[in-house]
Amino acid sequence: MSQGKKHVLGFSPNGGQLFASVDELGILRVWNTETNTLKQEFTPNLQVSGPCTALTWVLVAAPRPKKSRKSLPTQEAASDQLYIALGTLKGVVVIYSLAEGKIERTLSGDSHDGPVTSIVYDNAGHLYTVGVDCRALVWSLEQERCISDWQVGPEKPRNIVYLPKSRTLAVGSRQLKVYDVDTKELIETFTGHSGEVNAISSVVCTDDAEFVLTTARMERVICFWKIEKKGKNKASSCTLLMEDLAYCLSSEVQDDGQLRVASVTRNGIIHIYLLNVNSLSAEKFVKPKASLQIVSDGADTVEPIHALASYFVADKNRSHEILFGYGNRKQIQFERFTPNYAEKLNVIVRADPKKLYAQKKGKVQALQAAQKTLTPVVSQKIVEYNSALPISQKKVQNDVPMEARLQHLQIKATKLGGGKLQTQSKTQLLMQALHSKDQAMIDAVLSTHDTETIQLTLDRLPLEYVNPLVNELSILIQGKHANVTSALRWLQVLACTHTSALMSEDKQALREKLGIVLGVAQQRMHCLAEALQISGRVNLIISQMKRNADNHLNESNVLNVDDEEEDEPADADADGDSAQGESNWSDLEDQNISSNSIADEGLAADNDLAADEEDLAMTQGSEDDDEELSD
């Protein structure tokens, strides 16, 4: 196993009966998986060896007793002894004895110049370790010292695994390098991970083909690498997909050739894959056959319980089961479970290990045992605080009753420059909403339309909250019109207030951050010309309608005609009538009178004018006849 907050753990080789883990403080804990009890807890000497950074199980065969004539055939041989090899922060390797519950021996000789990152046992009396000094060391348990070393740099190694068939050591950093343990030569390299290898495992198939399984930090895939002792920069043989980052891998090959792989992800879910070794393909990504999710059996809410490790049981009678542990580092529960491969997600409802521990020890004792700290209860009345000041300069205790203090209490609003109240600022509320990602609280703050309040809020906003605020405004600007208006106000004030913070970022990063806002603005600018044309024409029509409504001439719809004296000559009457008729028609045309009475009077005036013209023509004709007769 490797160094890290969640990686220093492992099941014992005797069917997973024991489980060892190292927490952040370097404390070793050994659990019994069958009884769900903490068997041992060991705190190393920080001055001698330092905290534990890596571990592996060591199974040492017990010496066979010599046969004698007096020995009975039913006498049982001594059982094998289990040890734990620990790599420490100071680069030393120590052997922990489960029988004695302490460090039995410390391996001598050369050691690492820094922490040990990973350690592995070859089941033949040798330990292999790598450290931050980019070296691989070989330790002999029989000689109790380091016997050889070689360089595996320049990249810092993080994980190693031993392959017994090919007698090679796979070292994982950014690349996967395979070394021959006899010649110490690099014989094969694999590339494909973008980060450092976070977990590693190996598997040997029935046809003696060897595979190494790796997963890297910030990647949600598991890569299969086939070890063939030749080639450089080789690609993976198969890729498995996960929902989250993995920090624990386990694998097993069954008798029928089927390969089972289990990965424990960061969100506490166990993914199980079923593969056929002979049909592995690098072109297709393999999804999990089933996933295990452990949840609590709470009455009010159902909360997930994180899985810590998984292990395939190497028992023929229980080969279909998987052993896993769940809970936290100090309270772990183990269970063997048979997955239902017909369902993609197997939800397992179990009691929270914290609640089980609290039921056994009591809530108060469980909390104290988990935290291992006691808070002293001190009464201020019985504590006397000594002061260096003389008695005359000591503060006199105020014995004013609470009722009198409340009467004199006055709440005064603090005013900022320009007569603005400090209480108008919503900076703290906005910071709390962005930190907790409470959408209701965010909407309540961003619905503010007052420009002064927005300015006061953004003036006091720390720079680390600018990016989350821009993301929320980008989402808000895609909503309804009211939300868009409010979001534009906030964006305008934000751009003016924190211009220096926005300009200090990279151009590409700033473009990605404001990409949604720019896209919405450009989309709305496409129809700006057409909208302005429609707005202008509508404004012209409305202005004309207003001018017509303001014209109140001749509202009574009555045509007024002035009658002249009857004793005027006929010519004058005709000229007057014609002039009067023309003025009336001009008035009618100017005023647009459409009444029936006015139309009838206009027709009568036309008839009178026509009769006058006929009389005038007849008079002129009679005068011409008289002149001809006189001639």
Side-chain angles (χ1 to χ4, degrees):
M1 294 301 169
S2 61
Q3 180 188 15
K5 293 183 179 180
K6 297 183 179 179
H7 302 75
V8 188
L9 46 85
F11 289 90
S12 61
N14 56 352
Q17 296 180 5
L18 299 177
F19 175 78
S21 67
V22 178
D23 61 4
E24 295 84 352
L25 301 178
I27 301 175
L28 173 66
R29 292 184 177 88
V30 181
W31 301 78
N32 190 330
T33 59
E34 296 181 353
T35 60
N36 285 325
T37 56
L38 179 61
K39 186 176 181 180
Q40 293 182 11
E41 181 175 345
F42 173 73
T43 303
N45 190 344
L46 301 181
Q47 296 180 353
V48 177
S49 60
C52 304
T53 57
L55 67 85
T56 186
W57 288 90
V58 177
L59 182 61
V60 179
R64 296 181 179 180
K66 296 181 180 180
K67 295 183 178 180
S68 61
R69 297 178 180 178
K70 297 181 180 180
S71 61
L72 299 176
T74 58
Q75 183 180 1
E76 295 181 358
S79 60
D80 298 338
Q81 297 180 358
L82 277 176
Y83 296 90
I84 300 178
L86 299 173
T88 62
L89 188 65
K90 296 185 178 181
V92 182
V93 176
V94 297
I95 306 299
Y96 178 81
S97 174
L98 291 176
E100 298 180 3
K102 64 178 182 179
I103 299 294
E104 186 179 80
R105 47 187 166 167
T106 301
L107 303 186
S108 60
D110 193 9
S111 61
H112 289 282
D113 298 332
V116 177
T117 57
S118 186
I119 184 171
V120 68
Y121 182 56
D122 65 350
N123 295 324
H126 295 89
L127 290 172
Y128 297 88
T129 61
V130 291
V132 296
D133 56 353
C134 300
R135 290 194 305 160
L137 302 184
V138 183
W139 307 80
S140 174
L141 295 180
E142 183 179 359
Q143 301 178 15
E144 298 185 1
R145 66 181 183 89
C146 176
I147 56 176
S148 64
D149 67 320
W150 74 91
Q151 291 289 333
V152 293
E155 298 176 351
K156 293 182 180 180
R158 297 296 178 183
N159 292 272
I160 57 174
V161 65
Y162 179 77
L163 304 172
K165 293 293 182 180
S166 59
R167 288 188 55 79
T168 56
L169 186 70
V171 181
S173 52
R174 282 186 178 272
Q175 295 180 341
L176 182 65
K177 302 177 182 180
V178 181
Y179 293 88
D180 191 331
V181 297
D182 297 327
T183 62
K184 311 296 188 299
E185 294 180 356
L186 178 63
I187 59 176
E188 200 169 5
T189 59
F190 299 90
T191 58
H193 287 301
S194 60
E196 297 177 347
V197 173
N198 194 34
I200 192 170
S201 179
S202 63
V203 62
V204 180
C205 302
T206 54
D207 56 351
D208 293 341
E210 293 177 323
F211 289 90
V212 176
L213 289 70
T214 59
T215 178
R217 296 180 181 179
M218 306 307 295
E219 289 186 0
R220 296 182 295 177
V221 296
I222 302 174
C223 296
F224 269 71
W225 317 94
K226 188 175 182 180
I227 308 301
E228 296 176 344
K229 280 193 172 184
K230 58 181 179 179
K232 293 184 178 180
N233 299 327
K234 298 176 63 177
S236 61
S237 302
C238 182
T239 304
L240 310 182
L241 296 180
M242 298 181 294
E243 294 181 356
D244 203 349
L245 309 181
Y247 61 85
C248 180
L249 293 178
S250 58
S251 57
E252 181 199 28
V253 177
Q254 296 181 345
D255 297 336
D256 56 355
Q258 188 180 33
L259 175 62
R260 293 196 302 172
V261 179
S263 65
V264 181
T265 60
R266 182 174 54 181
N267 55 6
I269 299 178
I270 303 175
H271 297 297
I272 303 176
Y273 305 84
L274 299 180
L275 304 172
N276 188 359
V277 180
N278 299 325
S279 62
L280 295 178
S281 175
E283 299 178 356
K284 297 181 180 180
F285 295 96
V286 181
K287 296 182 179 180
K289 185 67 175 180
S291 300
L292 306 182
Q293 172 72 61
I294 304 100
V295 297
S296 62
D297 56 351
D300 298 333
T301 58
V302 177
E303 298 181 356
I305 303 176
H306 286 253
L308 300 178
S310 63
Y311 179 79
F312 289 108
V313 180
D315 189 356
K316 295 182 179 180
N317 298 327
R318 311 172 70 176
S319 60
H320 57 281
E321 296 180 349
I322 181 173
L323 172 64
F324 60 87
Y326 58 92
N328 54 37
R329 294 294 185 88
K330 298 178 181 180
Q331 295 95 21
I332 307 178
Q333 291 290 318
F334 297 92
E335 182 178 346
R336 288 174 171 81
F337 182 78
T338 302
N340 183 10
Y341 295 106
E343 298 180 0
K344 290 291 184 180
L345 180 62
N346 292 205
V347 179
I348 306 173
V349 181
R350 295 293 182 269
D352 195 345
K354 294 181 180 180
K355 296 180 180 179
L356 295 177
Y357 189 78
Q359 291 176 0
K360 295 179 181 178
K361 300 292 184 178
K363 294 184 179 180
V364 177
Q365 295 180 359
L367 183 61
Q368 294 177 356
Q371 296 179 351
K372 291 188 177 179
T373 57
L374 295 177
T375 303
V377 179
V378 180
S379 177
Q380 296 182 358
K381 296 181 179 180
I382 62 176
V383 176
E384 182 179 357
Y385 297 94
N386 296 327
S387 177
L389 297 174
I391 300 176
S392 59
Q393 297 183 7
K394 290 183 179 180
K395 294 182 179 180
V396 180
Q397 187 177 1
N398 190 4
D399 296 333
V400 180
M402 182 60 67
E403 183 179 0
R405 296 182 188 180
L406 292 177
Q407 292 178 358
H408 295 287
L409 182 62
Q410 294 181 358
I411 301 176
K412 296 182 179 180
T414 305
K415 290 188 177 182
L416 302 175
K420 301 176 182 178
L421 294 179
Q422 188 177 0
T423 55
Q424 294 179 357
S425 175
K426 298 183 179 181
T427 306
Q428 295 296 333
L429 189 61
L430 180 59
M431 292 170 56
Q432 182 181 357
L434 294 176
H435 182 73
S436 61
K437 296 182 181 180
D438 189 350
Q439 195 61 38
M441 190 181 299
I442 293 175
D443 295 340
V445 176
L446 296 183
S447 62
T448 304
H449 298 280
D450 186 14
T451 307
E452 294 183 358
T453 304
I454 298 174
Q455 185 67 49
L456 290 175
T457 302
L458 296 180
D459 286 342
R460 301 166 60 88
L461 186 68
L463 296 180
E464 57 266 20
Y465 290 94
V466 174
N467 292 342
L469 180 59
V470 172
N471 296 334
E472 294 296 335
L473 292 176
S474 301
I475 297 174
L476 192 64
I477 203 173
Q478 305 177 48
K480 299 180 180 179
H481 176 71
N483 298 336
V484 173
T485 305
S486 178
L488 289 176
R489 287 195 182 96
W490 281 86
L491 278 173
Q492 181 182 5
V493 179
L494 179 64
C496 296
T497 305
H498 297 282
T499 306
S500 59
L502 296 175
M503 293 179 63
S504 63
E505 296 189 3
D506 184 56
K507 181 178 179 181
Q508 185 65 25
L510 185 62
R511 184 179 295 274
E512 293 178 358
K513 185 186 302 181
L514 301 177
I516 298 177
V517 179
L518 294 176
V520 174
Q522 291 178 0
Q523 182 66 25
R524 298 198 176 192
M525 288 290 290
H526 286 317
C527 57
L528 180 61
E530 291 79 0
L532 290 177
Q533 291 179 3
I534 294 174
S535 177
R537 293 179 182 180
V538 171
N539 290 334
L540 287 175
I541 295 173
I542 293 174
S543 61
Q544 289 180 1
M545 294 175 64
K546 287 183 178 180
R547 285 198 302 270
N548 293 335
D550 294 339
N551 191 1
H552 300 290
L553 297 177
N554 199 9
E555 292 182 350
S556 60
N557 297 328
V558 179
L559 180 62
N560 297 324
V561 180
D562 296 334
D563 296 335
E564 298 181 355
E565 296 181 357
E566 297 177 358
D567 54 350
E568 293 181 356
D571 296 337
D573 293 339
D575 295 337
D577 293 338
S578 61
Q580 184 68 28
E582 292 177 359
S583 63
N584 292 337
W585 278 107
S586 62
D587 293 339
L588 290 173
E589 292 176 354
D590 294 338
Q591 298 178 4
N592 294 326
I593 299 174
S594 61
S595 176
N596 293 330
S597 61
I598 297 175
D600 295 339
E601 290 178 2
L603 292 175
D606 292 338
N607 293 333
D608 294 341
L609 181 59
D612 293 339
E613 290 178 354
E614 290 178 1
D615 294 340
L616 181 59
M618 291 176 64
T619 304
Q620 291 178 356
S622 61
E623 290 178 356
D624 294 336
D625 294 338
D626 293 341
E627 290 178 359
E628 291 176 358
L629 290 176
S630 62
D631 291 337

